[in-house]
Amino acid sequence: MPLRDLFDRNVAWAEGKTRADPDFFRRMAEQQSPHYLWIGCSDSRVTANDVLGLDPGAVFVQRNIANIVHTSDMNLLSVLEYGIATLGVEHIIVCGHYGCGGVERALGSERSALVDHWLQPIVMLYRKHRATFDAIEDPRARAARMCEVNVQMQVRRVAAIPSVENAWARGQTLHVHGWVYGMHDGLLRDVGPTLSNIADRDALPSIDDCVLAESSPLSALQIQALEAFGANSSDDRRNADLLSLSRV
C-alpha cells in the first residue's frame, strides 16, 4: 500500500488519543465550536493548532502562500463567512512568519510562475517603498520587516471584507489581529493592528505609514520580562531594556 507508514501513524495517533481521552472523537464528531479563525501561510512548519497549543476543533483555519488576503479568493471569503456567521468565531488572526519563502520571492527579481501573480500585492508594496526596505542592509532583517508589514496589510484587507464589516455593524463580537511567528524560537509576536469595530478600522493609518514606522515587535516572553522588572526601572533604563529584548 502506498504511504503505508502514514496510515500506521494515523492508527497509533487515534489509539493514543482514545487511551488518553475516551470521549475525544465523540466530541469532535458532534460539533466544532472554535473561537478562533486563523489565516496563515501554507508553510508546512507553521500549523495553527501546534503553534497555539490547542487541540483539534479549537481553530478554524485558512492557509495560503504568504498569508495573503485576496478579496477575489472565493475560498478565503467562504471561510470567513462560514466562520463568522455559522461558527461565531470571535477572533480572526492573520499570522505570518519570519523566513517566509513567499515574501522572500516577492523581494527578489524572479518572475514567471503563477505564484508571482498571487504575490503581486507584496511585490507592489515593496516596489513603492523600495528605498525604505533596501535601506535595511541585512537581507534577513529586510525580509523580516516585509513579513511584518505584509501582515499589517492583510489585516486591513480582512477588515474591509463585507462579511467582517456586516458582523461589526450588527454588533457581533469580532476582533481581527495581526501576528508574526518566529521560526527560530517558536514564539508569536503581535505586530498589530487589533481591530474590534468599524471605527477602529477607519481610524487606521495607511499601510504606507506603517512601512515608514519603526517596529520591534515583542514576543510574550519578552513582554513578561519587561513587566517583571520594568516597574523599578527609570525611563532610560526601560528604553534600553526594550531595545535589547527586541533583538532576542
Side-chain angles (χ1 to χ4, degrees):
M1 177 187 294
L3 302 182
R4 177 58 183 270
D5 60 320
L6 295 184
F7 281 91
D8 292 341
R9 286 174 179 271
N10 168 251
V11 170
W13 172 77
E15 291 177 344
K17 281 289 187 183
T18 302
R19 283 195 300 269
D21 181 358
D23 291 329
F24 178 81
F25 290 109
R26 179 186 59 78
R27 292 197 309 274
M28 291 298 102
E30 286 178 352
Q31 178 181 348
Q32 63 168 333
S33 54
H35 294 294
Y36 314 103
L37 193 164
W38 174 281
I39 300 174
C41 183
S42 297
D43 192 297
S44 61
R45 299 166 294 177
V46 188
T47 54
N49 290 74
D50 288 335
V51 168
L52 298 173
L54 296 173
D55 283 332
V59 189
F60 197 50
V61 176
Q62 201 278 346
R63 299 170 70 186
N64 62 63
I65 295 174
N67 44 274
I68 294 178
V69 176
H70 280 285
T71 55
S72 59
D73 180 356
M74 297 305 293
N75 181 284
L76 182 142
L77 295 176
S78 299
V79 168
L80 277 171
E81 183 174 296
Y82 187 78
I84 294 168
T86 302
L87 299 179
V89 298
E90 296 181 359
H91 300 272
I92 299 173
I93 300 163
V94 179
C95 188
H97 67 95
Y98 296 125
C100 178
V103 169
E104 290 173 355
R105 183 179 176 100
L107 299 185
S109 58
E110 184 178 355
R111 296 287 180 272
S112 66
L114 178 60
V115 69
D116 296 308
H117 172 77
W118 182 263
L119 296 171
Q120 194 68 359
I122 311 177
V123 173
M124 296 304 293
L125 187 66
Y126 171 58
R127 288 176 177 171
K128 184 176 182 180
H129 295 282
R130 184 161 191 160
T132 298
F133 285 111
D134 287 358
I136 304 173
E137 295 183 2
D138 182 352
R140 289 180 301 177
R142 186 184 311 133
R145 180 66 184 127
M146 189 73 241
C147 289
E148 296 165 1
V149 173
N150 179 45
V151 166
Q152 294 170 327
M153 178 167 62
Q154 306 317 322
V155 167
R156 285 162 169 77
R157 289 181 162 207
V158 167
I161 289 174
S163 57
V164 174
E165 187 175 69
N166 290 341
W168 282 333
R170 62 177 175 262
Q172 183 172 339
T173 298
L174 185 64
H175 310 283
V176 184
H177 311 268
W179 296 354
V180 170
Y181 172 72
M183 202 81 71
H184 60 287
D185 59 12
L187 299 177
L188 292 163
R189 291 156 176 81
D190 188 345
V191 298
T194 296
L195 309 174
S196 301
N197 50 57
I198 294 173
D200 285 349
R201 182 201 64 191
D202 291 348
L204 281 175
S206 71
I207 192 62
D208 298 315
D209 290 334
C210 291
V211 172
L212 301 175
E214 295 274 338
S215 177
S216 296
L218 302 179
S219 70
L221 283 180
Q222 293 164 339
I223 293 171
Q224 291 169 5
L226 280 175
E227 291 174 344
F229 57 77
N232 298 320
S233 301
S234 67
D235 288 342
D236 289 344
R237 174 65 182 278
R238 280 178 59 82
N239 289 338
D241 292 335
L242 183 63
L243 180 61
S244 175
L245 285 169
S246 70
R247 294 170 176 163
V248 173

